[in-house]
Amino acid sequence: MDFRSDTVTKPAPEMCRAMFDAEVGDDVYDVAGVETNIVLCDIHGTGLSNDEFVARLKEAGILASPFDDGVIRFVTHRKITADSMQTASERMRRMLS
């Protein structure tokens, strides 16, 4: 699976921790009410349609929605923990094996 990001390299563990712990703010937009992050996942290599992939995720306890052909959209709470992300990642791997 390809999780798209606005970076071209995988962040080091220290950077991941800093991102999880960082205070979120913005000088241009009022983001006080924003409580989510959006993650796009390219599923072309899985051999599953968007609907099949989303249905399997739901069975694994993970909610997602189709975004574009072969792309799934996840919305996470902005203060999600690294442990929760690891759990979701492990469930997806088991789902695909």
Side-chain angles (χ1 to χ4, degrees):
M1 288 182 291
D2 172 23
F3 287 96
R4 297 178 189 187
S5 173
D6 58 356
T7 60
V8 293
T9 59
K10 182 177 181 182
E14 299 83 16
M15 178 58 91
C16 289
R17 176 58 44 208
M19 288 187 289
F20 282 124
D21 295 339
E23 288 293 320
V24 177
D26 195 308
D27 294 333
V28 178
Y29 300 102
D30 177 16
V31 296
V34 175
E35 298 288 334
T36 62
N37 291 315
I38 296 173
V39 178
L40 300 178
C41 177
D42 182 336
I43 63 162
H44 284 100
T46 67
L48 299 171
S49 72
N50 284 18
D51 290 338
E52 291 168 325
F53 195 89
V54 168
R56 287 190 185 188
L57 285 174
K58 188 173 182 179
E59 289 174 9
I62 302 169
L63 299 179
S65 59
F67 181 79
D68 198 1
D69 182 40
V71 179
I72 301 300
R73 177 179 175 257
F74 297 91
V75 179
T76 64
H77 189 275
R78 71 180 172 117
K79 293 194 181 217
I80 192 168
T81 65
D83 288 342
S84 293
M85 291 298 292
Q86 183 66 34
T87 298
S89 177
E90 289 168 3
R91 286 182 186 179
M92 282 190 279
R93 282 189 183 91
R94 281 193 306 268
M95 179 198 82
L96 291 170
S97 58

